[in-house]
Amino acid sequence: MGNDQESFPDHYSFSQRYGYEPLPKAMALGELSKEFRREACNVFESFAKSFATNSQFGWYFRNAGSQLFASIIGEFEGVPDYEVDANFKLVMAKVHDIIKNDRFDRVLHFLEILLRQTRIAEDYFQRLQFATKIQALLQKHNAAYRLSIEYNHRFWFFPCESEEHAVAVAQALELLQQGEFEGAKAHLRHAVDHINGGRHAAAIAESIHAVESVARKIDPKASKSLSPALKSLQDRGLLTHDALCKAFEKLYGYTSNEQGIRHALIDKDAANVDVAESVFMFGACASFAGYLVRKQHVGRR
């Protein structure tokens, strides 16, 4: 038992740290563990009850919170709000059932709807706290998803292959939050939607579009295709690593050569790509787009 205790995250138990129990396994894409779901229910319970204890007018906030969550359930299920029973206990039971038992994608979709809700303006700080706790749970339970928390009240989940991958993507998304690069951010959000929907060729195309968008913002004279754009940035001294440019050009060449990604299918009925390629390209393109933005900032100094 010579484990270095400093190397373990705080949420690992005594038994896990000392080797008496196995360390938690990383969740696969398309998976949310029972442990994550259980703790997410607890976090939601605390978030929902905050409406009932917000001030001396507890009944009002309890009622407002019940109506709010009922409307979120209505949006989630695609039914009018009046068809959802707004009784507080029934609403809470319904939300807990969604988080505990629904498919992973529907759980994340429901949480996104909840986090984006703006009908009660004063609750943004509470929603931000809720988002931060959900993010911590995803990390704690080694989920294959992380939550992008943006300054404009936009929240969305993105896939990741590892904690290092998640950190790199999060840093890139933070750099892209500037208004002039919103187009690239939109392409990455579309890529995630395609990944979650199983449309992996479309996801790769959107990921590449994000890089193209940044390159064209940095140099409006650059061609719509990536290779000339990278050459233009190299000529301006913004990209000094020739090997890095060549590596990304080869990745870009793969997306151009593979039928069904950037060009039409000819002699096959589907592009030969799957979730592994689409998630990899999403992370690679997000990171490279962030790298270009960072180099642009250096070039402006």
Side-chain angles (χ1 to χ4, degrees):
M1 294 187 299
N3 292 334
D4 180 4
Q5 301 309 298
E6 296 297 325
S7 65
F8 289 105
D10 293 339
H11 57 259
Y12 281 13
S13 70
F14 176 92
S15 298
Q16 289 171 331
R17 295 197 309 272
Y18 284 95
Y20 296 108
E21 291 183 1
L23 299 178
K25 295 182 179 179
M27 281 186 250
L29 286 166
E31 176 185 337
L32 292 175
S33 68
K34 289 183 179 179
E35 292 76 13
F36 169 82
R37 292 171 182 263
R38 178 183 64 80
E39 291 195 48
C41 283
N42 292 337
V43 170
F44 173 78
E45 182 85 9
S46 175
F47 171 64
K49 288 184 176 179
S50 68
F51 285 96
T53 57
N54 199 28
S55 76
Q56 60 181 329
F57 303 105
W59 177 87
Y60 168 78
F61 284 100
R62 183 183 183 89
N63 183 61
S66 181
Q67 292 289 342
L68 172 64
F69 298 132
S71 72
I72 292 172
I73 292 172
E75 180 179 349
F76 174 71
E77 296 189 330
V79 301
D81 292 357
Y82 62 79
E83 292 187 12
V84 181
D85 193 324
N87 176 276
F88 191 78
K89 289 185 178 180
L90 292 179
V91 167
M92 294 295 290
K94 178 62 177 177
V95 173
H96 286 312
D97 181 60
I98 291 171
I99 295 174
K100 286 192 298 183
N101 301 315
D102 224 324
R103 287 197 322 259
F104 89 97
D105 58 306
R106 285 174 55 81
V107 173
L108 298 183
H109 176 54
F110 177 81
L111 292 174
E112 283 186 345
I113 294 175
L114 173 60
L115 288 167
R116 294 171 181 172
Q117 182 56 250
T118 58
R119 294 186 192 181
I120 300 180
E122 312 86 68
D123 75 334
Y124 176 68
F125 179 70
Q126 291 167 294
R127 283 187 291 130
L128 185 59
Q129 284 188 316
F130 178 65
T132 302
K133 290 178 180 178
I134 291 295
Q135 181 77 291
L137 288 182
L138 291 168
Q139 183 175 7
K140 173 181 178 180
H141 294 289
N142 294 329
Y145 300 89
R146 291 294 184 272
L147 179 60
S148 176
I149 303 174
E150 302 178 12
Y151 67 90
N152 54 359
H153 299 199
R154 183 175 287 151
F155 302 88
W156 53 287
F157 293 95
F158 63 88
C160 57
E161 298 174 311
S162 65
E163 184 58 30
E164 293 76 17
H165 181 203
V167 170
V169 172
Q171 291 174 343
L173 294 176
E174 185 175 353
L175 283 170
L176 291 172
Q177 281 194 34
Q178 302 171 60
E180 61 181 317
F181 298 110
E182 184 55 37
K185 195 76 170 290
H187 282 302
L188 292 173
R189 285 194 296 269
H190 295 327
V192 169
D193 289 339
H194 288 313
I195 291 172
N196 292 337
R199 301 178 295 275
H200 302 301
I204 291 174
E206 288 288 351
S207 297
I208 285 288
H209 287 331
V211 179
E212 291 175 337
S213 177
V214 171
R216 292 171 64 192
K217 275 288 185 181
I218 292 175
D219 187 349
K221 296 180 181 179
S223 168
K224 292 183 179 180
S225 62
L226 184 58
S227 295
L230 293 176
K231 180 63 167 59
S232 175
L233 295 174
Q234 274 188 303
D235 292 342
R236 294 174 58 197
L238 293 175
L239 297 181
T240 57
H241 298 284
D242 187 60
L244 179 62
C245 285
K246 288 181 178 178
F248 212 85
E249 284 179 355
K250 288 181 180 179
L251 277 178
Y252 182 76
Y254 147 72
T255 67
S256 295
N257 293 333
E258 177 61 37
Q259 295 177 31
I261 296 181
R262 297 179 56 81
H263 298 294
L265 292 165
I266 300 174
D267 55 4
K268 57 176 77 172
D269 59 4
N272 186 28
V273 296
D274 59 19
V275 65
E277 282 89 2
S278 62
V279 172
F280 169 77
M281 287 298 293
F282 166 75
C285 290
S287 297
F288 195 72
Y291 170 80
L292 293 177
V293 172
R294 191 178 296 109
K295 296 297 288 186
Q296 167 75 348
H297 289 168
V298 172
R300 285 176 174 172
R301 292 174 184 171

